[in-house]
Structure formats: structure tokens, C-alpha cells
Amino acid sequence: MNKPLQGYPNKVDITNCDREPIHIIGSAQSHGVILACDPHTFLITQCSENSQNLLGHEAKTLIGKPIEVLLPRDYLNQIPAHPEKFTLPEIEIFNTAFLIIAHTSEKNFVLEFEPVGEQIAPVKFQEQLSRILSELNTANTIAEITSRAAGLVKSLYGYNRVMIYQFDEDWNGNVVAEEKEEYMESWLGLHYPATDIPKPSRDLFLKQEVRMISDVGYIPAVIIPQISPLTNKPLDLSLCELRAVSPIHIEYLKNMEVGASLTAAIVLNGKLWGLLACHHNSPKFINYHQRQSVKFLTQIYTNALSVISTRDFLAHSEKASILKEKFLGELKSFNVLSEGLSQEKFPFTSLVNCTGGALYINGSLHLQGITPSREQVEQLVKEFLSKNTFDIFHTQNLEKIYPPASLYKDTASGLLCINIGEMGEDLMIWFKQESSQDVNWGGNPDKNAVEKEGILYLSPRKSFEKWTKKVSGIAIPWAKHEINLAASLRESIIHIIVRQQREKIEQLNTNLRLVNEDLTAFGYSVSHDLRAPLRGISGYATILKERNYPILDDMGKKAVDIILRSSGEMNALIEDLLNYAKLGQTEVALSRVNLRELVLNILEILNTSESYKNTKIEVDENLPACIGDRRLISQLFLNLVHNALKYSAEMPHPEVHIGYLKEKLPVTYFIKDNGIGFDPSLEAKIYNVFSRLVGDEYPGTGVGLATAKKVIEKHKGDIWVETSPGKGSCFYFTLGNT
Ligand code: ADP
């Protein structure tokens, strides 16, 4: 029994094979010799123990000797300075013709001695290559090219079974093509779990694309010493053709009754797409040149695969976009979008490859095709989909992220969903059934069911069962063109919704404008028509007072006074309302307005020197002019200045300041007083018509600030206030054009 190698586990089984460091396995396959030497001195440092049989020298006698013991110096002089793997000319050693394959592994120069084996005539070789090129470059579909590749490999290299398997996103494999001897059971369509080709093997396939096991029953030839004196580590065999095989893989092959294998990596866009796997019933060796031609074949196959899959993707995308346009066309004949989306003539479920679908619009659910029950879908929407914010969401394994879905994985393991609502409430959902339901085991279920020491997985049958268990609840993934279609359908639907909403808003706006115009006109005419009778009332009351006051009794005198005062108040109210109503109808006539002049004029109109003689009034000398409608601006200042004077007049030292904030743009004017102030939280309220925070002790109509705000809006400006009860107020405003 060999001693375990440093860094290599004692026992490799299904629990740790995903971490098995197979690149430092420490031994060679029996049909060739691995030898390492110092690249500077060419002294041999390590050698596999089968050198006695193949090269006629015991490994331990070679260690420390110059390489000339095996190869003549002038032969070695042909070694090019080459960083990549390369081959040396064939040479006869110990009566056998060898091909030497050399490469550098860390600090070691590694030479692999491999028998030349059966030679192929150059003409035949040429023929092989041109057959590969012509057969693979003329296939039209992935299925066709894949089956041709398998057929070619079988006929060119003579293995009993040739398979191509493709990996899914989780590295489970699916046999997509097979060529085999007639008597063999077919494995086509079989699925394998990812553990059958664990990560370390997959990684190595990216480094060394073709791998041969010439005899599954071989006895590994241990490399001695196991630790390289040049690196103090086991020799890294990642690039070795002759690297020994993981015991677990040998076990696997033996259980499938495989005698030899050849595997080539199919690498698409830098990623392992799948494997070309050849099995032979008995030991089989094909030489390095033949293996290179397998590599060539795989590359041609991969290129064609890439071209066809790109072409297929474009064709699918084009088809999807035609379908989408047709579906949107169908929508046009419906006034209500939700009815169009759920119509049965061209169901939305025919847009992608799905088993059923659901529409959840405005809280109501519509189901199409095979779906979970109505209650289950409602629950899925409420508990999961509505709680997450997304435009588009897709999964092939719903139960993993939403466990209650395990109850209906047969109908909804795959889910593709777009959010077509404004507030994330409306959803279009497609469902796809779990994929293992699509797959049937074609062969005899009892055959190959190997059980050894309780381990049941090392056979295709058991692998398939393991895979079926593993992929329970998983659907075939949504294709990229389907996801793209769903995303662009979402955009189109949102676009339709936005357009419909815009049209609705425009209609509402027009209605609102009309109503507003009517109201303003009504307000204007009412205020206007009230003036005449009011003039009559106050005129006759004045006459009554002037002529008959002395003969009236107390009650009569009081009545005349009240009529006169009330009609005065009503007149003020009508004036204010009329001004306010007029505002809605007037267009602003912009001009440059000298504000200082305007303010001084207003102070005169308000007769401040008489009416507010205790108030200290300050107007900024250089109050900037503004661009505005002179009449409206005058109204604005009149209202604000009047309020400032009115609400500060009772203070012991009333002060009013009309000014502007220096160095602030846009120009910000203010009217400040030290009067009664008010609770600033009421600011929004005071701009409403008839809204007053004071009682009758202060005359007023409650229209002044509403008018002021409207004037400012007409000038595209802003108004706001800083105030505090008992401490005064400061009204600020800007005018859009200034
Ligand atoms: P009014 O004719 O009552 O003054 P306004 O529309 O001009 O109507 O003002 C609305 C209310 O805002 C007023 O009733 C008053 O309570 C409050 N207000 C307005 N300006 C001031 C101010 N400078 N100081 C204190 N309160 C004010």
C-alpha cells in the first residue's frame, strides 16, 4: 500500500471528491513514464516507478543522474526554449519507440515518455482532418452538429460508445448525443448529477482539454520521491498526459464496465459547456497525435456550436419580437387594458415556453393553462411577489426561495414574472413545470444498479436517480430570449399605461380649466352685480343719516349706523373678491416696475402718516426694480404692507420694514413687522380665500393673502413666511422673472 501523499487525502469519496486535489495525485498511468528534472542542470529529480518496465532503468537509480542516461545529449539539444507543452522527435528506448512530451510545471521540467503506438499515415491523417472540417461545418442545428460530432469520433477513433454531454447551470450533465455499438444499452437523454464530474476535474479540463485513460484496470506507477526537491511540494501534474486517475473515478468507470476512456472538454466562450466522452469495453490507447486530432475536432465542433447558438439566439429573439408585436396589436382592439391582456384569442402564455400563466390586475386574478390553484396563486402574489420590488423576476426553482411552492412544484417550479403596475401591484406571471417530469429513464432499471458498501451512486442508473432527486422542484431555465421578451413586453405595456394615463390627465385638466374659468366668471359677475344694490343701500342710509338723524330715536340711529358700517364692510369684501376674481381672467402684462416708487405711493394711499403715525416705516433705499404686471404687483404690495401695518399697529413700538435680501438670487423681497404674528404651522391655511386667524377686532375680509399668492403664482414666483405669535411676521416672496 502506498503511503498517502502530502496534501492528498487518505480516502476520497463522494463527500470530499469536490475538493479532491487530483492534480497532485502523485502517480502515473502504467502505459508511460513521468520524469521530472532540473531545467538548468538536467539532473533527474523525480520519476514514476514503471520506468524499469518501459525504459529499462529502475526509477530510484535514475534519481540524481543526468538525463543523458536515457537520452543522448545531441537529442536534448533539440529541446527548444518553449514555455508551452511541446513534443520531441520519436526515439527508441529499450526496443520501444517513444514520443516525449515536455512541459514546465512550476520549477520542474517534466518529460513524459509515451509509446508511439499505432502510427497513422500522414495522408490518412490529412483525410481525417478534412472530414472533420467538412462534416462539422455544414451542420445546421445544434442537435445535428452534436450527433455528427459523436458519429465522427466513433468512426475515426473506434471507441465502443461516444457521448456528448452538456452541463446545466448547476453542472448537472445531460447526454445530448450518443453513438454506440448496437448491443449496448442507450444512455441518450440520461442526466447525471454534478458530483459525477466534480469541480477539480472540471477545472483540469480547462487546462488540459483531452484526457485519456488507456486501461481502467491499470496499476498506478508512483512517482518517487513524492516531494519535488525543487519546490518542496508534490509535483503538479495538471498538464501531464499520463497523470493517474482519481480512485473514485476508476470505481465509477468500472461500475459502468468501461475498460478505457477518452474525454475532451467542450469549451464555449471560456466556459466548460460540456464533454465529449468516449468509452471502450477493453483497454484502448490512441497516441498523442490522434489525441491532438480529437482536440482539433472538438475545437471545430465548439466553433460551429458557437455560430449556431448565436444564430439560434438571434432567430429566437426575432421570432419573440414578432410574437410580442402581434400580441400588442391584439391589445389595441380593447379599450380596457386588463381585458386585452387576458383575452383568449392570442393568450399571453403563448409568448414563452411555459405550462401556464396568471394575470393579477387591480386585485383580481385571471389564470391561463396549467397553474397552481387560485388560492395558491393568490397566496404567492400576496406573500411573496407583492412584497418584493422588481421589474422582472425569474427563477427555475421557486420552492427554494418561496418554500410553500413545494406543494405545487409539478405546475410551478419555474416562474417568470413582470411587474406592469404603477405601484407594483399588477403582475403578469408565467409558470413552468418541474423538469425531471419531462425525463424518463429509458433503460432496464435493474441493470447497473450497483451497491457496494452502501454506496449506491456509482452507476449511470443510480446517478440518474440521484440527479432526479437533486433536481426535484427545478424547471428547465428560462431562455435568454424569453427573459428579453418579457422585459420588453413590460416596457411596451407600461408605455401603453402611461399614454392612457396622460390622455386621461389631459382630459381632466381641460375639464378643470373650463370649470375654473366658469367659476371665475361667475365670481366676477356676482361681485360686480352686487355692487349696484349695495350702492343703493349705503346711498339711502347716508341720506337718512344726513337728513333725518335728529328725529330718529336711539334704536333708529343705531340701525342707520349699523347699515352704513355693514355696507362699508360688504363693499370692501366685494372689492377684494372682484380683484381676486379678475386675477383669474387677466393675462399678465410684464414691464419693469420701480418698486421703491410703487411702495412709497402705496404708503401714501394708505395714508400712513395719519393712520399709522406711531409706526416706524422703513423702505430699502435701493429696493431692486422687478419685471412684472404693474397693477398686480401694486395689489400684492398693498395687501402685504397693509397687513403688516394692521397687525402691528397695537404694539407699543410698531415697526414695518419693506426690503430685500442682499446677495440672494432670485431677488427675494420681504415685508417685515413686529406685530402679533401667528402660529407658523398655520401658514398653508392663510393663503385660502376667507381664511382668517383673527376675530372682528381686526378689520379684514380674508382675501388679501389669497390674492397675493395668486399674483405671485401668475409671476411664477414663491411666497413664504417666518412668524411667531407675539413676535411679528416676515413675508418673503420672489417673482419668477426677476
Ligand atoms: P385679512 O383681511 O384678514 O387680513 P388676509 O388674507 O390678508 O386677510 O390674511 C389672512 C390672515 O392671515 C389674517 O386674517 C391674519 O390672521 C393673518 N395675517 C396676515 N398677515 C399677517 C401679519 N402681518 N401678521 C399677523 N397675522 C397676519
Side-chain angles (χ1 to χ4, degrees):
M1 188 71 189
N2 301 320
K3 270 203 272 154
L5 190 63
Q6 181 189 323
Y8 195 79
N10 279 348
K11 183 169 182 285
V12 179
D13 59 24
I14 200 74
T15 60
N16 65 355
C17 68
D18 233 33
R19 300 183 301 275
E20 185 186 359
I22 46 178
H23 63 294
I24 52 161
I25 195 160
S27 40
Q29 291 187 49
S30 54
H31 65 274
V33 174
I34 296 179
L35 183 145
C37 59
D38 185 319
H40 307 294
T41 60
F42 283 103
L43 292 176
I44 299 169
T45 52
Q46 287 174 287
C47 183
S48 60
E49 279 186 329
N50 54 351
S51 58
Q52 169 74 57
N53 293 345
L54 296 171
L55 307 177
H57 290 268
E58 237 190 298
K60 62 176 183 234
T61 63
L62 288 173
I63 308 301
K65 299 266 165 53
I67 192 84
E68 282 95 335
V69 181
L70 292 169
L71 304 167
R73 175 48 73 183
D74 57 346
Y75 178 85
L76 284 175
N77 287 343
Q78 299 174 46
I79 295 177
H82 207 299
E84 308 268 308
K85 195 186 257 195
F86 59 95
T87 51
L88 294 169
E90 285 170 29
I91 183 165
E92 198 174 302
I93 308 172
F94 204 46
N95 294 329
T96 309
F98 280 97
L99 185 71
I100 300 178
I101 307 149
H103 73 276
T104 302
S105 166
E106 295 176 315
K107 289 179 183 161
N108 301 286
F109 184 56
V110 179
L111 299 171
E112 296 185 81
F113 294 70
E114 196 187 281
V116 170
E118 192 195 334
Q119 289 279 47
I120 297 217
V123 180
K124 207 148 177 249
F125 196 66
Q126 280 282 332
E127 272 172 23
Q128 268 188 6
L129 299 186
S130 60
R131 205 177 138 200
I132 292 170
L133 275 171
S134 67
E135 290 201 22
L136 293 186
N137 278 333
T138 50
N140 275 322
T141 62
I142 291 187
E144 189 183 341
I145 192 185
T146 305
S147 118
R148 274 196 203 178
L152 257 176
V153 174
K154 171 107 176 47
S155 94
L156 292 178
Y157 309 102
Y159 281 86
N160 295 132
R161 186 198 297 272
V162 176
M163 291 175 289
I164 292 188
Y165 46 90
Q166 186 183 355
F167 292 117
D168 70 11
E169 283 173 6
D170 299 321
W171 300 108
N172 300 305
N174 175 16
V175 181
V176 289
E178 180 190 50
E179 277 295 323
K180 58 171 190 63
E181 305 300 342
E182 264 184 25
Y183 62 86
M184 294 173 112
E185 176 191 22
S186 172
W187 293 347
L188 187 64
L190 228 72
H191 290 247
Y192 297 86
T195 42
D196 277 16
I197 301 159
K199 188 171 184 304
S201 321
R202 295 195 302 265
D203 290 348
L204 278 181
F205 271 123
L206 287 175
K207 290 187 186 165
Q208 192 201 28
E209 289 162 344
V210 178
R211 172 96 172 115
M212 180 181 65
I213 302 167
S214 64
D215 180 1
V216 169
Y218 81 106
I219 295 166
V222 174
I223 295 169
I224 58 159
Q226 296 211 330
I227 299 300
S228 158
L230 301 173
T231 59
N232 271 329
K233 284 193 301 191
L235 188 58
D236 184 336
L237 304 175
S238 296
L239 297 180
C240 280
E241 300 287 320
L242 291 164
R243 171 166 48 86
V245 188
S246 151
I248 198 163
H249 187 57
I250 290 288
E251 179 99 358
Y252 182 72
L253 293 172
K254 280 184 179 165
N255 285 336
M256 289 193 287
E257 291 164 11
V258 171
S261 77
L262 180 85
T263 317
I266 303 168
V267 182
L268 194 65
N269 303 328
K271 198 181 159 211
L272 197 60
W273 178 92
L275 293 176
L276 168 79
C278 310
H279 289 172
H280 205 63
N281 292 344
S282 52
K284 178 173 172 67
F285 172 82
I286 64 167
N287 73 15
Y288 182 74
H289 298 303
Q290 283 291 282
R291 298 202 301 276
Q292 288 302 100
S293 83
V294 173
K295 188 169 163 183
F296 173 76
L297 183 149
T298 316
Q299 276 166 356
I300 298 295
Y301 167 69
T302 312
N303 285 348
L305 200 65
S306 160
V307 170
I308 295 175
S309 37
T310 310
R311 198 197 58 200
D312 281 0
F313 173 73
L314 292 176
H316 277 128
S317 301
E318 201 183 316
K319 226 163 127 193
S321 124
I322 293 170
L323 268 182
K324 188 195 91 178
E325 289 310 321
K326 224 173 127 195
F327 181 75
L328 291 174
E330 203 61 43
L331 284 191
K332 284 202 186 110
S333 50
F334 289 83
N335 285 336
V336 182
L337 185 69
S338 58
E339 282 173 15
L341 293 175
S342 56
Q343 44 84 23
E344 308 260 322
K345 189 172 154 207
F346 186 173
F348 74 93
T349 41
S350 56
L351 292 171
V352 299
N353 178 16
C354 67
T355 31
L359 275 171
Y360 187 80
I361 297 182
N362 295 333
S364 74
L365 185 66
H366 169 85
L367 299 176
Q368 260 176 23
I370 304 167
T371 65
S373 75
R374 178 166 284 276
E375 295 69 42
Q376 286 169 331
V377 178
E378 264 164 8
Q379 200 185 13
L380 167 73
V381 169
K382 290 207 177 92
E383 286 182 0
F384 179 63
L385 296 174
S386 294
K387 288 207 175 135
N388 293 286
T389 328
F390 59 83
D391 292 344
I392 177 163
F393 168 79
H394 61 92
T395 173
Q396 60 175 135
N397 188 3
L398 182 59
E399 67 168 0
K400 192 170 159 201
I401 33 180
Y402 177 63
S406 61
L407 292 175
Y408 44 84
K409 60 186 178 195
D410 52 336
T411 50
S413 283
L415 182 137
L416 171 62
C417 178
I418 51 173
N419 189 336
I420 50 174
E422 252 184 315
M423 317 296 289
E425 288 295 289
D426 298 339
L427 304 166
M428 184 179 266
I429 308 166
W430 292 271
F431 297 116
K432 196 159 14 181
Q433 68 174 24
E434 130 185 85
S435 75
S436 57
Q437 297 194 358
D438 294 337
V439 185
N440 294 310
W441 165 255
N444 176 355
D446 299 325
K447 213 174 167 199
N448 287 322
V450 179
E451 177 171 355
K452 268 187 192 171
E453 296 160 9
I455 299 172
L456 275 168
Y457 45 84
L458 294 175
S459 74
R461 169 68 186 151
K462 284 296 154 189
S463 282
F464 179 76
E465 276 174 12
K466 207 148 57 80
W467 172 81
T468 313
K469 226 180 197 172
K470 198 178 157 217
V471 298
S472 153
I474 297 184
I476 291 171
W478 300 97
K480 204 169 151 205
H481 68 266
E482 293 179 320
I483 296 166
N484 290 353
L485 175 139
S488 89
L489 180 69
R490 176 183 175 271
E491 273 180 21
S492 305
I493 294 176
I494 300 266
H495 196 75
I496 295 175
I497 295 174
V498 168
R499 204 186 55 223
Q500 285 182 349
Q501 279 173 345
R502 205 180 48 224
E503 284 165 9
K504 237 191 239 164
I505 290 171
E506 272 167 11
Q507 188 57 47
L508 277 177
N509 263 344
T510 316
N511 292 349
L512 210 66
R513 212 174 38 245
L514 289 175
V515 170
N516 218 359
E517 277 169 12
D518 281 357
L519 263 181
T520 318
F522 174 76
Y524 181 75
S525 72
V526 166
S527 327
H528 189 263
D529 294 352
L530 280 176
R531 270 166 137 188
L534 188 63
R535 238 179 272 130
I537 295 170
S538 67
Y540 278 101
T542 311
I543 293 170
L544 197 63
K545 186 167 183 177
E546 280 171 7
R547 297 207 188 145
N548 300 336
Y549 205 68
I551 57 164
L552 291 175
D553 62 5
D554 284 354
M555 177 59 200
K557 284 179 181 152
K558 197 173 169 194
V560 171
D561 286 341
I562 290 177
I563 292 172
L564 278 172
R565 204 178 62 239
S566 298
S567 57
E569 278 171 10
M570 192 157 173
N571 192 39
L573 183 62
I574 289 174
E575 279 301 317
D576 281 357
L577 271 179
L578 209 56
N579 279 334
Y580 182 73
K582 266 192 219 156
L583 267 179
Q585 293 182 323
T586 20
E587 288 295 317
V588 283
L590 297 181
S591 66
R592 194 184 142 81
V593 185
N594 182 332
L595 286 182
R596 187 169 154 81
E597 217 176 271
L598 181 137
V599 169
L600 294 177
N601 193 26
I602 284 171
L603 295 176
E604 248 176 61
I605 293 171
L606 290 170
N607 195 14
T608 47
S609 50
E610 283 295 319
S611 310
Y612 299 98
K613 54 173 173 274
N614 293 334
T615 308
K616 189 178 152 208
I617 302 173
E618 184 190 345
V619 182
D620 280 2
E621 280 296 336
N622 48 356
L623 194 64
C626 77
I627 306 292
D629 183 310
R630 170 175 287 280
R631 203 176 54 77
L632 300 185
I633 298 290
S634 174
Q635 183 85 55
L636 166 71
F637 273 93
L638 180 68
N639 291 0
L640 293 175
V641 172
H642 192 192
N643 278 353
L645 291 165
K646 187 165 68 175
Y647 295 112
S648 62
E650 303 304 320
M651 303 313 267
H653 304 288
E655 284 178 20
V656 169
H657 180 184
I658 298 130
Y660 73 105
L661 297 179
K662 318 263 174 317
E663 289 161 19
K664 186 164 188 311
L665 281 176
V667 183
T668 306
Y669 301 97
F670 63 81
I671 284 112
K672 186 174 179 187
D673 64 64
N674 62 349
I676 59 172
F678 59 92
D679 177 353
S681 69
L682 301 173
E683 179 177 2
K685 208 174 145 195
I686 54 166
Y687 300 114
N688 293 336
V689 187
F690 303 136
S691 180
R692 309 198 70 215
L693 306 177
V694 290
D696 285 346
E697 69 276 20
Y698 291 96
T701 60
V703 184
L705 283 184
T707 309
K709 186 160 170 79
K710 205 156 192 187
V711 169
I712 282 166
E713 275 168 7
K714 287 215 144 212
H715 284 81
K716 299 186 173 51
D718 248 332
I719 181 164
W720 67 99
V721 67
E722 279 171 10
T723 181
S724 167
K727 297 209 171 114
S729 310
C730 185
F731 281 86
Y732 297 92
F733 63 88
T734 58
L735 298 165
N737 297 308
T738 306

